[in-house]
Amino acid sequence: MDDINEAEVIEPSLPFWVTVAEEGDDDSLSLFGNRNSEPALRSVPLGPLRKNLAETVDALQQLFADAAGDGGTLPLAEAQLSFQVTASGGIQLIGTGQMQGTRGLTLIFKRPS
């Protein structure tokens, strides 16, 4: 039976352009780091990214269901949210006050027709 060294197991990943917000902190590597930092292409592991994105989408869908359940004159028909991905696969939603005029990944949720 072969012993598999953990360092030899390559986790699937996706390349993301990130900037370094603070030295030595992988979680600070994100799409929108320090404005003075140079962008770098980094491999983001798919396992944590998949888990964190699924948890975020599940939580958002519950929020949208609660908002839609309130009825009202103008029901929720569509929601758009931007987020950034950290180098370790974390998901951070972007508030407009935090990141005006920046680019991000956008999730669009639409009510079925």
Side-chain angles (χ1 to χ4, degrees):
M1 190 162 157
D2 294 329
D3 288 331
I4 298 175
N5 184 344
E6 285 185 37
E8 293 174 3
V9 176
I10 298 174
E11 182 175 11
S13 62
L14 284 175
F16 276 85
W17 283 101
V18 296
T19 54
V20 179
E22 292 180 21
E23 286 284 328
D25 181 7
D26 275 350
D27 242 8
S28 70
L29 292 168
S30 61
L31 293 173
F32 312 108
N34 185 337
R35 290 180 186 250
N36 298 326
S37 298
E38 289 294 320
L41 189 62
R42 299 289 171 96
S43 292
V44 174
L46 283 181
L49 179 59
R50 182 180 292 114
K51 176 186 173 289
N52 292 325
L53 186 56
E55 287 174 359
T56 301
V57 168
D58 288 346
L60 289 169
Q61 288 180 333
Q62 183 60 52
L63 286 172
F64 299 150
D66 294 346
D70 288 344
T73 317
L74 298 170
L76 178 65
E78 180 176 310
Q80 294 186 17
L81 295 136
S82 294
F83 68 99
Q84 66 180 7
V85 175
T86 66
S88 61
I91 299 294
Q92 299 173 343
L93 296 175
I94 302 169
T96 57
Q98 296 170 321
M99 305 301 291
Q100 286 183 331
T102 61
R103 295 178 302 268
L105 301 168
T106 302
L107 299 173
I108 299 175
F109 299 85
K110 292 185 179 181
R111 182 182 303 244
S113 303

